[in-house]
Amino acid sequence: MMKTSLLKICLASTILLLGARVDTVRQIEMYSRDYVPFTKSTFLERLDTESTLKFTLDDELPVLDGATALFPIYGSFAEAVYPPECQIKDFVKFSKTDYAYKELISGENDIIFVAEPSKEQLEMAKEAGLEFNMYPIGYEAFVFIVNATNPVESLTLQQIKDIYSGKIKNWKKVGGKWQKIRPFQRAKNSGSQTAFVKMMGKDFDLIPPETHKELTLMDGIIDVVSDYENHANAIGYTFRYFLENMNKNPNVKMLKVNGIAPSVENIRNKTYPLTDNFYAITIKGRESENTKKLIAWICSKQGQELVEKVGYVSLGTDAIK
């Protein structure tokens, strides 16, 4: 009897994991087909003038990969610089943050476009005897989201930390209704989860995450906050660009943090407290000349023009000229 029950549990767990993997693949396929260069995509941005860097079919082309929210960025970079005759899907991949880091370490990619690495990703590189080169290429806001019906408009950083440490458990404590707070988290080593852990700081006792298979997906956390089993008491997090441009959802809203909204202007002047860089990352000592040229171009005036056109915030005076 016990063996039968254990077998059922194992089978159910396997089905759940396979289902999550299938959903992840479907999500990657859905977003990636919109951002493939040279497909007349309306989701990519173009320069007003010819790119000052142009690769040819005779060049060694860097293989690009990255986070879901950065597909529009590096897809636009590639369309500006790569030759249209190349087999673009061999050089522009859409694997998501965790897989992108793994494949960068294994040598399958040359440049990945991501948030900074997690502790585990840094350790993975160290164990392989490798070191990351991290090139800031723009700014983005890490945002907290709640159901649109939630009356709370702003939280302080300390209140957010208290919610995710279990010290604050009811929305009434932060100006909301008398409802239990359901604080959702993303999958370990995803870009937004790494940014979240960094924001929470060191020596922080994080409560165990609520489990839900869709949270392995970039848009899963938005879905559960918008209408998780008809509850409007959830809180989650994502990146501003992804929510505003790739997965608009009228049933969620971004919170102000310390009373400051995550607007482009507040990211630019760095008054929004959860503003950070996103990066082009390579392996130290493994950069080809064309990899170096592409990164220099990305940080130049034209590359930064595309960062702004896509909807992110450029480096401004911090950019390489």
Side-chain angles (χ1 to χ4, degrees):
M1 183 74 172
M2 185 178 292
K3 287 183 178 179
T4 303
S5 298
L6 184 60
L7 179 60
K8 287 181 179 178
I9 292 170
C10 290
L11 284 171
S13 299
T14 302
I15 291 168
L16 183 63
L17 288 170
L18 287 173
R21 177 60 181 150
V22 168
D23 286 345
T24 301
V25 170
R26 284 174 181 164
Q27 185 215 38
I28 293 171
E29 289 176 347
M30 178 180 69
Y31 287 120
S32 64
R33 71 168 174 261
D34 291 336
Y35 301 103
V36 177
F38 310 119
T39 58
K40 297 183 180 179
S41 169
T42 58
F43 296 92
L44 298 180
E45 294 295 335
R46 281 91 186 177
L47 294 168
D48 294 330
T49 57
E50 189 76 7
S51 173
T52 56
L53 176 66
K54 278 289 188 183
F55 292 142
T56 70
L57 287 175
D58 295 327
D59 288 318
E60 180 184 354
L61 301 178
V63 178
L64 314 181
D65 202 349
T68 306
L70 294 172
F71 290 173
I73 287 273
Y74 65 93
S76 297
F77 291 157
E79 187 169 277
V81 173
Y82 283 41
E85 303 85 5
C86 71
Q87 295 296 318
I88 195 63
K89 290 188 178 181
D90 292 339
F91 302 104
V92 179
K93 299 161 66 177
F94 303 94
S95 299
K96 299 178 64 184
T97 298
D98 196 24
Y99 289 104
Y101 268 108
K102 288 174 182 175
E103 293 187 1
L104 178 67
I105 290 168
S106 67
E108 295 176 60
N109 303 329
D110 298 304
I111 309 174
I112 61 173
F113 297 84
V114 285
E116 67 180 75
S118 67
K119 181 181 176 182
E120 290 82 5
Q121 287 155 347
L122 287 168
E123 189 61 33
M124 195 187 310
K126 185 178 178 181
E127 288 177 0
L130 302 172
E131 187 178 342
F132 295 130
N133 272 338
M134 297 173 54
Y135 301 93
I137 62 170
Y139 294 103
E140 173 59 326
F142 184 70
V143 299
F144 284 84
I145 56 175
V146 296
N147 192 279
T149 62
N150 191 323
V152 174
E153 297 290 336
S154 179
L155 292 172
T156 66
L157 276 174
Q158 190 58 54
Q159 286 172 332
I160 293 169
K161 291 182 178 183
D162 287 346
I163 287 170
Y164 277 94
S165 65
K167 293 178 183 177
I168 295 178
K169 299 179 180 180
N170 197 294
W171 283 111
K172 190 71 174 177
K173 296 287 185 180
V174 291
K177 298 177 182 177
W178 186 263
Q179 286 182 313
K180 177 186 175 183
I181 300 174
R182 301 195 71 170
F184 285 95
Q185 299 178 46
R186 280 290 315 283
K188 188 177 182 181
N189 292 326
S190 64
S192 53
Q193 183 67 9
T194 299
F196 169 67
V197 171
K198 177 187 176 184
M199 185 220 79
M200 298 304 280
K202 297 179 180 179
D203 304 319
F204 183 83
D205 293 325
L206 191 64
I207 58 175
E210 294 214 28
T211 55
H212 194 283
K213 73 182 183 73
E214 290 180 357
L215 298 190
T216 59
L217 309 180
M218 184 71 173
D219 49 4
I221 202 162
I222 297 172
D223 293 340
V224 296
V225 171
S226 69
D227 186 24
Y228 182 68
E229 296 179 355
N230 296 316
H231 293 299
N233 57 346
I235 184 171
Y237 45 80
T238 186
F239 291 104
R240 174 203 61 90
Y241 178 85
F242 183 76
L243 180 62
E244 287 194 335
N245 297 278
M246 297 177 74
N247 197 322
K248 291 182 180 180
N249 189 321
N251 297 317
V252 302
K253 65 180 178 182
M254 291 186 287
L255 293 175
K256 296 177 182 178
V257 177
N258 294 348
I260 301 171
S263 66
V264 168
E265 187 55 36
N266 289 338
I267 297 169
R268 196 182 308 284
N269 61 32
K270 300 181 181 66
T271 56
Y272 179 71
L274 301 179
T275 296
D276 208 347
N277 286 113
F278 55 94
Y279 298 86
I281 297 183
T282 65
I283 297 295
K284 197 170 190 176
R286 202 194 277 171
E287 294 176 342
S288 68
E289 283 304 309
N290 283 342
T291 292
K292 294 176 183 177
K293 287 180 182 178
L294 180 56
I295 290 173
W297 178 85
I298 288 168
C299 295
S300 74
K301 183 178 179 180
Q302 283 194 327
Q304 292 298 293
E305 178 188 330
L306 279 180
V307 169
E308 288 276 344
K309 281 193 166 190
V310 167
Y312 283 92
V313 177
S314 69
L315 296 173
T317 55
D318 298 331
I320 298 171
K321 298 294 186 286

